Amino acid sequence: LLTAAYIKTIKSLQLAKFRKELGQFVVEGDKAVRELLQSKQIQTKAVYALPQWFEACQKHSIQILRNANCIETNAHQLAAMTGLKTPTQVLAVAEIPQYILAKIPDNQWVIYLDQVQDPGNVGTILRLADWFGIEWVIASPDTADTWSPKVIQASMGAFARVKSARTDLKRLDLKNTHILAADMHGKSIYTGVAAKSGILIMGNEGQGISVSLEQLITERITIPRHPKGGAESLNVATATAIILSNLHLH
Amino acid sequence: LLTAAYIKTIKSLQLAKFRKELGQFVVEGDKAVRELLQSKQIQTKAVYALPQWFEACQKHSIQILRNANCIETNAHQLAAMTGLKTPTQVLAVAEIPQYILAKIPDNQWVIYLDQVQDPGNVGTILRLADWFGIEWVIASPDTADTWSPKVIQASMGAFARVKSARTDLKRLDLKNTHILAADMHGKSIYTGVAAKSGILIMGNEGQGISVSLEQLITERITIPRHPKGGAESLNVATATAIILSNLHLH
């Protein structure tokens, strides 16, 4: 039975505090919930949807709902659970996976987000990681919560595939790891990067890389501005796009 | 005198309808207003700010306020004008410039936004254009208004330098113009592009390039997904970033 108290609990998952306390997060909307249900990594606790959503879903892709705990709800209940202005037909609650990066993989890049504040940027970077076949995105303790509704939405399903964990870079075993940092004073990304794998640090939107990480950096790269260009900087997600594209290329 | 009626008029500029009717737009926040005041292209009608903002501004950069119509306001008035949740210390009203792209420049790329809906994406693309020294961003009639507060904010000052005009691509004189389109079925961007200038079409977030533009396209390019990648697509702003970076490179 879906009690008012439980609806309130679901609604509370909009806030980082309650997500941390309960170890759960919310996914909203048809496409995102389908991605969640297909995830091999994330366990769905329950799917709350209008009867017509379950019907449509069963008609087209019966398999993904096989093991799910499906709970029919009405529009009123969904409106009370949602974090969106316009509630969708379906909302799911899932367990936040506790990924642990025991060892830096030696054949691929890992992204480290250093104090990236904007959830739209974090979600867009997860989506980029997913596109470029990057398995891990590590968030510094002060980066936006990777399980927030805005990150989930901007990630466009990437949250269900890319592994995101929250830890301080300094706590990882970095022996023999190439640490590449996007920095205004690095060498041009177009001249190539010395390694084929390692950690790529993307810094805070305004302040760049944290001082405490400086000593860990092996190589600094920059995206050169056009001589006629006027912008002071690039958005962190678009900078990540350009860098990943170049790492991928070389 | 700043009347209640005029405050209401300023507030109405949050909406596309009134921006079009009055030919004016709003810029908020210290940094964005400074960029506006330094623009060679855009005429500022008035700057509304708290007395302390004018004082700080005069202390550090008296020149940009020299020709401006400065109107001291209180926090209550600013709160009534703003479109932000938390009003800043300063808000400016400016004339929407009527740029006309008479001829496609033959030594640089022009970006054409085909039904790009999200103002955050449009603003981020203006910022990218500004970074990569691109002078013109043309918006299709059904692209998000390039003078909306969200676009101005996301552009991080680029609105004051990049020229954005609203017109249908088919109305431009495209003789001898290379028309490059980002498309899922194009050739890899990494193999290079045949031209050094022309128009780059970036399509709608969900639907891609409009059918009506298909016949105009000279070359189609795509950003290849990594074989292990899972994402269905890239965000239009990050895709633009990768393409501009590559056009810039070759």
Side-chain angles (χ1 to χ4, degrees):
Chain A
L1 195 72
L2 188 56
T3 61
Y6 196 61
I7 288 176
K8 221 170 156 182
T9 302
I10 295 174
K11 176 82 180 188
S12 79
L13 296 174
Q14 295 295 319
L15 300 174
K17 184 190 159 192
F18 294 104
R19 286 194 295 276
K20 200 174 167 186
E21 211 170 286
L22 298 168
Q24 294 171 8
F25 72 107
V26 153
V27 177
E28 290 204 61
D30 176 57
K31 193 140 186 320
V33 170
R34 284 166 184 259
E35 300 267 20
L36 171 69
L37 289 167
Q38 285 171 67
S39 174
K40 288 172 194 129
Q41 305 165 174
I42 303 177
Q43 237 195 321
T44 305
K45 278 209 58 176
V47 180
Y48 303 92
L50 300 178
Q52 54 264 43
W53 187 82
F54 287 119
E55 281 159 30
C57 203
Q58 269 162 356
K59 222 178 272 171
H60 301 298
S61 52
I62 205 163
Q63 284 161 317
I64 60 166
L65 280 172
R66 210 174 35 187
N67 301 315
N69 176 19
C70 297
I71 296 154
E72 283 197 5
T73 49
N74 57 44
H76 180 76
Q77 291 169 319
L78 274 173
M81 293 175 186
T82 187
L84 302 172
K85 274 184 199 158
T86 321
T88 57
Q89 295 202 322
V90 56
L91 178 153
V93 175
E95 305 277 350
I96 295 177
Q98 300 300 322
Y99 301 121
I100 293 165
L101 178 60
K103 195 188 160 299
I104 313 286
D106 54 10
N107 56 351
Q108 58 175 290
W109 290 96
V110 169
I111 297 173
Y112 182 75
L113 303 178
D114 174 32
Q115 295 189 58
V116 177
Q117 308 275 320
D118 179 74
N121 283 337
V122 173
T124 303
I125 292 171
L126 288 177
R127 187 175 175 188
L128 282 164
D130 195 21
W131 182 267
F132 285 110
I134 286 175
E135 196 182 344
W136 287 91
V137 174
I138 308 297
S140 71
D142 41 11
T143 283
D145 181 9
T146 53
W147 304 102
S148 82
K150 280 183 185 168
V151 172
I152 301 299
Q153 205 185 350
S155 85
M156 295 291 280
F159 76 91
R161 288 178 294 266
V162 173
K163 291 178 184 146
S164 74
R166 181 168 295 267
T167 186
D168 194 309
L169 183 62
K170 295 186 287 292
R171 290 174 146 248
L172 297 173
D173 176 13
L174 301 172
K175 216 174 64 180
N176 301 326
T177 302
H178 193 82
I179 300 183
L180 190 63
D183 185 283
M184 298 292 266
H185 310 290
K187 63 167 201 165
S188 165
I189 180 75
Y190 304 125
T191 60
V193 161
K196 286 194 184 297
S197 65
I199 292 176
L200 167 64
I201 308 180
M202 297 303 301
N204 173 274
E205 288 91 342
Q207 278 122 52
I209 310 279
S210 300
V211 176
S212 68
L213 301 181
E214 292 282 345
Q215 73 213 57
L216 301 174
I217 298 170
T218 320
E219 186 177 11
R220 288 163 202 274
I221 41 158
T222 197
I223 300 163
R225 179 171 61 188
H226 189 278
K228 285 186 186 164
E232 256 179 42
S233 64
L234 287 170
N235 165 291
V236 62
T238 57
T240 306
I242 294 168
I243 294 170
L244 292 182
S245 164
N246 273 277
L247 292 180
H248 179 72
L249 178 64
H250 293 293
Chain B
L1 195 73
L2 187 57
T3 62
Y6 195 63
I7 288 176
K8 222 170 156 182
T9 302
I10 295 174
K11 177 82 179 188
S12 80
L13 295 175
Q14 296 294 319
L15 301 175
K17 185 189 159 195
F18 294 104
R19 286 194 295 276
K20 201 175 167 184
E21 212 170 286
L22 299 169
Q24 294 171 8
F25 72 107
V26 154
V27 177
E28 289 205 60
D30 176 58
K31 194 140 187 317
V33 170
R34 285 166 184 259
E35 299 267 20
L36 171 69
L37 290 167
Q38 286 171 68
S39 174
K40 289 173 193 127
Q41 307 166 173
I42 303 177
Q43 239 195 319
T44 305
K45 278 210 58 174
V47 180
Y48 303 92
L50 300 179
Q52 53 264 42
W53 187 82
F54 287 118
E55 281 159 31
C57 203
Q58 269 161 355
K59 222 176 272 170
H60 301 299
S61 52
I62 204 164
Q63 285 161 316
I64 60 166
L65 280 173
R66 211 174 34 187
N67 301 314
N69 176 20
C70 298
I71 296 153
E72 282 198 6
T73 50
N74 58 44
H76 181 75
Q77 290 168 320
L78 275 173
M81 294 175 186
T82 188
L84 303 173
K85 275 185 198 157
T86 321
T88 56
Q89 294 202 323
V90 56
L91 178 153
V93 174
E95 306 276 351
I96 295 177
Q98 300 300 322
Y99 300 122
I100 293 165
L101 179 60
K103 195 187 160 298
I104 312 287
D106 54 9
N107 57 350
Q108 57 175 292
W109 289 97
V110 169
I111 298 173
Y112 182 75
L113 303 178
D114 175 31
Q115 294 189 57
V116 176
Q117 308 274 322
D118 179 73
N121 283 337
V122 173
T124 304
I125 292 171
L126 288 177
R127 186 175 175 188
L128 282 164
D130 195 22
W131 183 266
F132 286 110
I134 286 175
E135 197 181 342
W136 287 92
V137 173
I138 307 296
S140 71
D142 41 12
T143 283
D145 181 9
T146 53
W147 303 102
S148 82
K150 280 184 186 169
V151 172
I152 300 299
Q153 205 186 351
S155 85
M156 295 292 279
F159 76 91
R161 287 177 295 266
V162 173
K163 291 179 184 144
S164 74
R166 180 168 296 267
T167 187
D168 194 310
L169 184 62
K170 294 187 287 293
R171 290 174 144 248
L172 296 173
D173 176 13
L174 301 172
K175 215 174 66 181
N176 300 325
T177 301
H178 194 81
I179 300 184
L180 190 63
D183 185 284
M184 297 292 267
H185 309 291
K187 62 168 202 166
S188 164
I189 181 74
Y190 303 124
T191 60
V193 161
K196 285 194 185 297
S197 65
I199 292 176
L200 167 65
I201 307 180
M202 297 303 301
N204 173 274
E205 288 91 342
Q207 278 124 51
I209 310 281
S210 301
V211 175
S212 69
L213 300 182
E214 292 282 345
Q215 74 212 55
L216 301 175
I217 298 170
T218 320
E219 187 177 10
R220 288 163 201 275
I221 41 158
T222 196
I223 301 162
R225 180 171 61 188
H226 189 278
K228 285 186 185 164
E232 257 179 41
S233 64
L234 287 171
N235 167 290
V236 63
T238 56
T240 306
I242 294 169
I243 294 169
L244 291 183
S245 163
N246 274 277
L247 292 181
H248 179 70
L249 178 63
H250 293 293

